[in-house]
Amino acid sequence: MSSRAESAAELHLTKGGSADLDSVVEVMNAAFDERFGEAWTRSQCAGILPMPGVELVIARDADAQTAGFSLYRTIADEAELLLLAVAPPFRRRGIGRMLLNHFLSEARGSGASRIHLEVREGNPAVMMYRAAGFLFAGRRRKYYRGRFGGEFDALTLSRVM
């Protein structure tokens, strides 16, 4: 995977689809440590893509490499961020924030009045979500089950638009 892009400004966002699932799974597996059990399987991603209100957004560099992605859904007046991942070579360049801002903008444009997400407690992304105005809404104990048997709480965060 190329790491030429110096910042989010050098990337572009495109709507993704089933043809992008291999690169999405590659990014997800690199981004989410298997000991925490956060990554989805390819079949889980493929199963949700055709559902109403679901969008996959891909961040690509100038060489068309997938730097990151977001997967979200909007139903009625609520939006949910299902997944957001940035490939390790592209981290700390604002790509996650760019994907999050895109999600927020799309949710607002779709008429969502409330948005929510779940994230593993201790995941560094919690700081990004809090900085974007998300507030603690709840905890799901032992929600994530890692490959090696660990169990980890999920934090539910929400934001009113």
Side-chain angles (χ1 to χ4, degrees), residues 5 15 21 28 37 40 51 57 61 66 69 129 132 145 149 151 154:
K15 182 176 176 168
L21 286 180
M28 189 166 24
W40 288 21
M51 292 180 155
V57 175
D61 70 3
T66 300
F69 72 92
Y129 298 135
R145 288 178 171 64
E151 295 177 326

Side-chain angles (χ1 to χ4, degrees), residues 11-13 57-61 65-69 95 98-99:
L11 284 102
H12 63 279
L13 299 180
V57 175
I58 310 289
R60 298 185 195 281
D61 70 3
Q65 293 286 328
T66 300
F69 72 92
I95 298 166
M98 179 178 72
L99 288 162

Side-chain angles (χ1 to χ4, degrees), residues 4-57:
R4 289 179 40 183
E6 293 300 319
S7 70
E10 297 177 21
L11 284 102
H12 63 279
L13 299 180
T14 60
K15 182 176 176 168
S18 59
D20 298 297
L21 286 180
D22 287 340
S23 66
V24 163
V25 170
E26 182 180 331
V27 168
M28 189 166 24
N29 287 337
F32 295 135
D33 190 321
E34 62 186 282
R35 69 186 156 149
F36 298 122
E38 299 163 293
W40 288 21
T41 65
R42 187 182 199 289
S43 64
Q44 286 172 311
C45 293
I48 200 163
L49 271 179
M51 292 180 155
V54 173
E55 295 290 336
L56 173 64
V57 175

Side-chain angles (χ1 to χ4, degrees), residues 13 25 36 47 55 67 72 76 78 99 119 122 132 134 141 157-158 160:
L13 299 180
V25 170
F36 298 122
E55 295 290 336
Y72 58 88
E78 289 196 0
L99 288 162
V119 60
F134 284 85
R141 301 220 180 265
L157 306 178
S158 66
V160 176

